[in-house]
Every structure is written in structure tokens, then in C-alpha cells.
């Protein structure tokens, strides 16, 4: 492909951003994120959530991440994060100043990460080379895998895809192509595939979050399934979190029939859709009939938005201690 075509494909402002045939060895491939991909709202949201998660996890170690692209490549923060999540210590130098020592450190840390995640390097969506070269997509794949394995309650945005451009050096010159990278799946579906004890941990975290949010109303819940079926607590929870004032004429405070319950739940789902919190279809009747997955999906939509609002001590709200 001619250089002009590459520039158009990537929409990059300067020639320095693109490799030449001399810079890219024969058979080598390199991925690029065009500006349109970088500015995708869900892609930006995923980075924001991961940065907040890392900073909350490493708060007491006085570690602050501002850019996943610039701050993760040398293995230092990844070292601290993995030790915190896995509860173990790695035999590797704490501070690596030279390029060679940084790469060795990253190799040790990624080796431990891959063993913990039970991922063989050829199957991994990341590598030492990619992370060390500040490949943002590979870095995101790695952090998403860590979050899902060690802390599945982290509210990752669901179904995040990003378009990448791959440039390959061939005998006939540089060739390029576009592809979609799937960074996250539907969060709830992925969560429900986890071992039962991890699903219970997420449910307990949501109960804690709900009770924390309703404490000013003097309300508390013990069961995610049964206590939301009539829509009353759900509406009050949405009102507390989203700042809605719901007049008593708009819903049934003490519903006495399935139809009144459906009315309440329908109103709650409409409020969630209007605020962009519920993109997945949910039937009001399923909530009224105490369908566990539907109820969990609705509560998780609120949990995922509000959980990372830190309390005064820097601990995410709704987190179990």
C-alpha cells in the first residue's frame, strides 16, 4: 500500500507516527489506534474505570496512574498491582532504571501474571514486547483479564470494541488492514460464568452498596431477588443515586396487585434507560416474577456507575472490607 493510503487510513497528523519499511523488519506487524478509535466514548470509559480501579487498589502505596499507555510499560505499577491482587511477593528488583532491567522486570511480572491467570503466552492477548512498546490495546486486554480474575465486581463497561489498524512489512512493501478488537464482553454474562463463590461476593458487594445508598431513608435489604419485585425500593434507590424526585402520585408505594408492581418496575426501567444506564433489554414482568438474572442486571447497572465514587477514606462505596 502506498504511504499516502496509510496516512489516510490512520488519519494521523504527522509522518513520524508511521513506520518506514526500514523501521519495520520483514514479517513484523504493528498495531495502531486511529484517532476515531481513541475518542470512542466506551473506549475512554474503559480506561477511566481501570485507572480508578488501579489507583484505589494502590492508594496506600502512594501509587498514582494517569495514563495506562505511559505508566504500565516498565512493569513497576504492574508489579505492585499483581502483588496486591494475588497476595504474594515476587522476587524481582523493586526499581529498574535501565531499559534492559525494566524489560527483565516486566518479563518476571508477566510470567507470574500468566501463571495466575492460567494463560499460555501464545494464547495471551498481550506479550512482553507489546506491553513494553506501550501497546494500549494489549495493556487493556491484560488489565481487563486481571480485573475479571481477581476482582470481578470492578464495573467494567460492557461490550467494548475498538477498531485497530495493523501494518505488516511484506516482501512487496507495507500492507495494512482494519480489524475489531473485543476488549470486554457483556459484563453480567461474564460474571455469571464465574465460580459460585465469586458470584456471591459480587452479590454481597451490591447488597452493601444498596444499603449504603438507602441508609438516609432508613431502609435495608437482605435479598437481591425478593425485595425488588414490587419496584418500590428500586425506585427509591434510583431516586437517591440519580437525584430524581418521584412524587407519590407517580407510583404505588404499597402495591397490592401484580399490575401495580409492573407499573412501578416499568417506571424504574424507563428512568434507567433515560439516563443511559440500561442498554440491555429487561422485561418488567421478569423483575416482578423475581428472575435473579434480570434483577441483578438492573442493580448492576446502578452499581457499575456509582460504586467507584470514593468515600472520604478513598474506599470505593459498596466494597466489602
Amino acid at each position: 500500500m502506498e504511504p499516502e493510503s496509510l496516512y489516510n487510513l490512520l488519519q494521523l497528523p504527522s509522518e513520524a507516527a508511521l513506520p518506514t519499511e526500514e523501521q519495520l523488519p520483514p514479517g513484523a506487524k504493528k498495531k495502531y489506534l486511529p484517532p476515531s478509535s481513541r475518542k470512542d466514548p466506551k473506549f475512554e470509559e474503559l480506561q477511566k474505570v481501570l485507572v480508578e480501579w488501579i489507583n484505589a487498589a494502590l492508594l496506600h502505596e502512594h501509587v498514582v496512574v494517569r495514563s495506562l499507555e505511559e505508566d504500565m510499560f516498565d512493569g513497576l505499577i504492574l508489579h505492585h498491582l499483581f502483588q496486591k491482587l494475588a497476595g504474594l511477593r515476587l522476587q524481582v528488583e523493586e526499581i529498574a532504571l535501565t531499559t534492559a532491567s525494566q524489560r527483565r522486570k516486566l518479563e518476571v511480572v508477566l510470567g507470574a501474571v500468566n501463571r495466575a491467570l492460567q494463560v499460555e503466552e501464545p494464547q495471551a492477548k498481550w506479550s512482553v514486547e507489546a506491553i513494553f512498546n506501550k501497546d494500549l490495546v494489549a495493556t487493556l486486554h491484560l488489565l481487563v483479564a486481571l480485573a475479571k480474575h481477581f476482582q470481578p465486581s470492578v464495573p467494567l463497561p460492557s461490550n467494548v470494541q475498538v477498531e485497530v489498524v495493523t501494518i505488516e512489512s511484506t516482501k512487496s512493501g507495507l500492507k495494512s488492514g482494519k480489524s475489531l478488537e473485543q476488549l470486554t464482553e457483556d459484563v453480567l454474562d461474564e460474571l455469571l460464568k464465574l465460580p459460585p463463590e465469586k458470584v456471591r461476593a459480587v452479590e454481597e458487594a451490591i447488597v452493601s452498596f444498596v444499603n449504603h445508598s438507602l441508609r438516609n431513608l432508613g431502609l435495608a435489604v437482605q435479598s437481591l431477588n425478593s425485595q425488588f419485585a414490587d419496584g418500590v425500593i428500586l425506585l427509591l434507590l434510583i431516586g437517591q443515586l440519580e437525584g430524581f424526585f418521584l412524587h407519590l402520585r407517580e407510583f404505588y408505594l404499597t402495591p397490592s396487585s401484580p399490575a401495580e408492581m409492573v407499573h412501578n418496575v416499568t417506571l424504574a426501567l424507563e428512568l434507567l434507560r433515560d439516563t443511559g444506564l440500561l442498554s440491555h433489554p429487561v422485561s418488567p414482568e421478569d423483575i416482578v416474577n423475581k428472575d435473579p438474572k434480570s434483577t441483578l442486571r438492573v442493580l448492576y447497572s446502578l452499581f457499575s456507575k456509582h460504586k467507584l465514587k470514593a468515600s472520604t477514606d478513598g474506599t470505593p462505596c459498596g466494597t466489602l472490607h
Side-chain angles (χ1 to χ4, degrees):
M1 177 175 287
E2 294 298 319
E4 290 79 11
S5 299
L6 283 177
Y7 299 146
N8 292 334
L9 184 62
L10 289 165
Q11 304 173 35
L12 292 172
S14 69
E15 294 185 14
L18 283 172
T20 64
E21 291 184 39
E22 291 77 20
Q23 291 171 328
L24 200 62
K29 293 182 181 180
K30 191 169 180 61
K31 291 181 180 179
Y32 290 87
L33 282 169
S36 57
S37 294
R38 289 182 177 274
K39 294 176 183 177
D40 181 89
K42 292 190 76 172
F43 185 67
E44 292 181 332
E45 176 65 14
L46 175 62
Q47 293 176 75
K48 179 176 179 287
V49 169
L50 288 170
V51 166
E52 290 178 341
W53 167 59
I54 294 169
N55 287 339
L58 300 180
L59 177 70
H60 299 297
E61 299 186 39
H62 308 291
V63 171
V64 178
V65 172
R66 292 183 175 86
S67 166
L68 297 177
E69 205 162 13
E70 296 296 330
D71 294 342
M72 304 300 297
F73 80 97
D74 62 0
L76 177 62
I77 292 174
L78 186 59
H79 178 201
H80 283 270
L81 179 64
F82 178 68
Q83 287 191 151
K84 178 77 172 180
L85 295 174
L88 52 81
R89 299 202 65 80
L90 298 180
Q91 297 302 313
V92 63
E93 55 191 313
E94 181 65 27
I95 304 295
L97 298 178
T98 67
T99 299
S101 61
Q102 289 173 343
R103 190 183 182 93
R104 284 196 304 271
K105 180 184 178 79
L106 182 61
E107 287 176 352
V108 172
V109 175
L110 275 188
V113 167
N114 290 346
R115 288 191 294 275
L117 298 179
Q118 298 182 327
V119 174
E120 296 290 335
E121 188 165 335
Q123 283 76 46
K125 297 178 180 178
W126 55 86
S127 66
V128 172
E129 188 72 23
I131 302 298
F132 197 70
N133 286 322
K134 303 180 183 179
D135 183 326
L136 180 56
V137 172
T139 302
L140 290 172
H141 276 306
L142 172 61
L143 294 173
V144 166
L146 282 169
K148 287 166 60 176
H149 182 82
F150 287 104
Q151 290 189 345
S153 60
V154 174
L156 301 174
S158 64
N159 198 32
V160 179
Q161 296 178 324
V162 64
E163 186 177 70
V164 299
V165 173
T166 302
I167 298 178
E168 181 180 3
S169 177
T170 68
K171 292 180 179 179
S172 57
L174 296 179
K175 291 188 177 180
S176 65
K178 289 183 178 180
S179 62
L180 276 180
E181 290 267 350
Q182 188 81 35
L183 293 166
T184 67
E185 307 292 340
D186 181 90
V187 175
L188 191 61
D189 288 338
E190 288 293 300
L191 189 153
L192 294 174
K193 295 176 186 175
L194 295 171
E197 63 273 12
K198 291 194 174 183
V199 176
R200 283 194 297 272
V202 175
E203 291 174 342
E204 289 170 3
I206 294 177
V207 168
S208 176
F209 159 76
V210 169
N211 288 335
H212 178 84
S213 304
L214 294 175
R215 67 192 187 285
N216 292 336
L217 300 179
L219 297 173
V221 301
Q222 286 78 43
S223 169
L224 293 184
N225 297 332
S226 61
Q227 289 182 268
F228 292 91
D230 63 8
V232 176
I233 291 181
L234 182 57
L235 283 168
L236 295 174
L237 177 64
I238 294 170
Q240 287 290 295
L241 292 171
E242 295 293 322
F244 289 122
F245 174 75
L246 295 172
H247 199 281
L248 290 177
R249 288 196 299 267
E250 297 182 46
F251 69 102
Y252 297 96
L253 188 59
T254 56
S256 57
S257 68
E260 292 178 354
M261 294 179 185
V262 169
H263 171 89
N264 284 355
V265 174
T266 299
L267 175 59
L269 296 180
E270 287 174 354
L271 291 173
L272 290 176
R273 291 191 192 98
D274 288 345
T275 54
L277 287 178
L278 193 63
S279 57
H280 198 285
V282 175
S283 166
E285 287 79 11
D286 286 344
I287 304 293
V288 172
N289 291 329
K290 305 177 183 178
D291 176 65
K293 185 174 180 179
S294 297
T295 304
L296 188 59
R297 185 179 296 281
V298 169
L299 294 173
Y300 195 87
S301 70
L302 288 163
F303 176 73
S304 64
K305 176 180 179 181
H306 295 278
K307 174 183 178 291
L308 288 177
K309 286 187 176 179
S311 62
T312 54
D313 66 353
T315 304
C317 296
T319 302
L320 295 180
H321 300 282

